[in-house]
């Protein structure tokens, strides 16, 4: 099974799947700050709530994140992932983000939960810690055979990136919404 697949048990992400959940959050954060068009609509300005939604993909503890603190890192992640399948230019951006966020592996444990790796260094802000975590998750992707699973949605008016979850690598759209929109447009074009 590719490492980036995300098994869930009873709707809860297991501790060992933490970095995989962080990859999905990293892609969501990249889209939040980098996509000009999302699922047919112009992107709205990132807000506390939209960043909180991203963080909830990987943690239950979400306060009131300041979008300004995530903007630069989020844009860098989008730029890096947008280079794929070309890995080399993405590597440079991600290596730089790993350095500026001082990503450092640390074993942490929530009450009653098993130890698991986080990548926030001990002396950084919460936002920098999450960006370090997301940069690490993307770095793991770039260093793996799964890098080619990262795609850009093929629908009109959508610039979202997504991780192809299909077995035969045929996913073309970020969501069923974009898939349906494209089908409807094609049908209209045929019957016009
Ligand atoms: Zn889309």
């Amino acid at each position: 099974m590719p490492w980036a697949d995300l098994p869930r048990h009873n709707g809860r992400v297991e501790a060992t799947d933490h970095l995989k959940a962080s990859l999905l959050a990293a892609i969501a954060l990249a889209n939040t700050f980098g996509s000009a068009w999302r699922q047919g609509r112009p992107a709205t300005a990132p807000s506390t709530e939209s960043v909180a939604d991203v963080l909830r993909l990987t943690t239950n503890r979400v306060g009131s994140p300041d979008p300004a603190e995530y903007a630069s890192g989020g844009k860098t992640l989008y730029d890096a992932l947008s280079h794929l399948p070309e890995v080399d230019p993405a590597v440079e951006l991600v290596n730089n983000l790993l350095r500026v966020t001082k990503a450092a592996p640390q074993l942490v444990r929530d009450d009653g939960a098993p130890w698991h790796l986080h990548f926030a260094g001990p002396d950084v802000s919460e936002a920098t810690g999450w960006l370090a975590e997301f940069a690490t998750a993307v770095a793991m992707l770039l260093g793996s055979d799964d890098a080619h699973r990262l795609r850009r949605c093929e629908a009109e008016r959508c610039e979202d990136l997504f991780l192809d979850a299909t077995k035969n690598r045929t996913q073309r759209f970020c969501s069923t919404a974009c898939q349906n929109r494209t089908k409807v447009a094609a049908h209209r074009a045929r019957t016009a």
Side-chain angles (χ1 to χ4, degrees), residues 153 158 174 178:
C153 184
C158 185
C174 71
C178 277

mmCIF file of all heavy atoms in Angstrom, residues 153 158 174 178, ligand 1:
data_model
loop_
_atom_site.group_PDB
_atom_site.id
_atom_site.type_symbol
_atom_site.label_atom_id
_atom_site.label_comp_id
_atom_site.label_asym_id
_atom_site.label_seq_id
_atom_site.Cartn_x
_atom_site.Cartn_y
_atom_site.Cartn_z
ATOM 1 N N CYS A 153 -6.487 19.659 -10.601
ATOM 2 C CA CYS A 153 -7.831 19.375 -11.101
ATOM 3 C C CYS A 153 -7.944 19.817 -12.558
ATOM 4 O O CYS A 153 -7.484 20.888 -12.931
ATOM 5 C CB CYS A 153 -8.858 20.120 -10.244
ATOM 6 S SG CYS A 153 -10.564 19.758 -10.696
ATOM 7 N N CYS A 158 -10.979 25.671 -11.834
ATOM 8 C CA CYS A 158 -10.538 25.038 -10.588
ATOM 9 C C CYS A 158 -9.035 24.818 -10.677
ATOM 10 O O CYS A 158 -8.550 24.262 -11.663
ATOM 11 C CB CYS A 158 -11.236 23.701 -10.337
ATOM 12 S SG CYS A 158 -10.781 23.002 -8.725
ATOM 13 N N CYS A 174 -10.605 17.145 -8.604
ATOM 14 C CA CYS A 174 -10.344 17.251 -7.170
ATOM 15 C C CYS A 174 -11.507 16.720 -6.352
ATOM 16 O O CYS A 174 -11.345 16.386 -5.185
ATOM 17 C CB CYS A 174 -10.057 18.706 -6.800
ATOM 18 S SG CYS A 174 -11.531 19.769 -6.872
ATOM 19 N N CYS A 178 -16.478 18.863 -9.108
ATOM 20 C CA CYS A 178 -15.807 19.256 -10.349
ATOM 21 C C CYS A 178 -16.053 18.230 -11.455
ATOM 22 O O CYS A 178 -16.194 18.584 -12.622
ATOM 23 C CB CYS A 178 -14.308 19.439 -10.112
ATOM 24 S SG CYS A 178 -13.910 21.070 -9.457
HETATM 25 ZN ZN1 LIG B 1 -11.627 20.877 -8.968
#
